[in-house]
Amino acid sequence: MKKIITLLILILSTNSIFSQNTSKRTSNFNLENNVAVKGYDVVAYFKQKKPIKGKKEFSATYDGISYYFSSKENKEQFLINSANYEPQYGGWCAYAMGSSGEKVEVNPETYKIIDGKLFLFYNAFFNNTLKSWNKEEKVLKAKADANWKKITH
């Protein structure tokens, strides 16, 4: 009986830790109506090489974050290796994360794939931050990586 109680306590505490980690992760992600990348298909950036709006009927959840896909095939591809398709910095503007460590909204149509990773950028009111990012990408990426680590740990 004692072993069963110990096992139950271990299971409950593991679930609690997982729940806390998922909650922290979702609170750091750029979500709109609990969906990442404003409903755009993250696989399409890589496979179709352009942003395509996803559909609710092709949705999947990875580590507490929901994604929409434009096709069943893209959803299945995502499920094979979800982490490879997630946007960097929780889907916040990569430029802002690098320049000031701030979570700034993005335009999902303004993006860049770098070393097989998806980076999103703010682009509104005559301010396309991808252009600024491209001028000093290496420095901004290193700063963004460090800033994101501070936010998530």
Side-chain angles (χ1 to χ4, degrees), residues 132-147:
S132 301
W133 172 271
N134 285 335
K135 291 176 185 172
E136 49 184 326
E137 179 176 284
K138 195 172 186 177
V139 171
L140 286 167
K141 186 181 176 311
K143 287 181 179 180
D145 290 346
N147 288 334

Side-chain angles (χ1 to χ4, degrees), residues 11 23-24 67 122 143:
I11 290 169
S23 176
K24 182 176 182 177
Y67 292 90
Y122 175 86
K143 287 181 179 180

